[in-house]
Amino acid sequence: DGVEQLYLVRLLDRNRQLIWSKVGTTTRKTQKRMVEHLNYYKKDGVKYIEVVRLWDCGEMEAEMYESAFRAHYMRKYKGTFRKNDRFTGVEFDLAEADKIFADLKEGA
């Protein structure tokens, strides 16, 4: 609780097939936030969530990082964006994501 966090998650159906990849933030316990996502997206067939990256944003607001990631992914994966920072059928490149985060943190 109280830590600015940025995360990347995979939202999966009952067969553990990818529905969406999502970028998000929280300052609450990560597990609590993921349960909220499961409850919210169950109407869309989401049964599982995999947290594939979780970063501590330190003194910077996590929304700064989230906005940069969203803009990058909207350009890279044109036509896949859905409201609430989801990307349909997209597998994030985690090595690329690590580099984006590191570059942003260095420039912050």
Side-chain angles (χ1 to χ4, degrees), residues 5 26 28-37 51:
Q5 300 169 68
T26 190
R28 291 175 285 136
K29 290 193 182 276
T30 309
Q31 184 176 352
K32 182 176 182 175
R33 185 66 181 124
M34 295 308 119
V35 169
E36 291 170 355
H37 283 318
V51 178

Side-chain angles (χ1 to χ4, degrees), residues 23 65-75 81 85 87:
V23 58
Y65 293 97
E66 180 185 43
S67 294
F69 271 77
R70 181 188 321 107
H72 174 79
Y73 291 145
M74 288 174 82
R75 282 189 304 273
F81 179 75
D85 304 319
F87 294 84

Side-chain angles (χ1 to χ4, degrees), residues 10-55:
R10 298 175 75 239
L11 303 165
L12 310 171
D13 68 15
R14 65 184 175 93
N15 297 315
R16 296 190 182 266
Q17 297 300 306
L18 180 68
I19 299 173
W20 298 296
S21 289
K22 177 175 174 51
V23 58
T25 67
T26 190
T27 56
R28 291 175 285 136
K29 290 193 182 276
T30 309
Q31 184 176 352
K32 182 176 182 175
R33 185 66 181 124
M34 295 308 119
V35 169
E36 291 170 355
H37 283 318
L38 276 175
N39 289 331
Y40 182 80
Y41 291 117
K42 69 181 174 186
K43 68 186 181 317
D44 299 308
V46 173
K47 300 289 184 197
Y48 302 98
I49 293 182
E50 290 179 0
V51 178
V52 294
R53 283 296 184 271
L54 178 66
W55 294 283

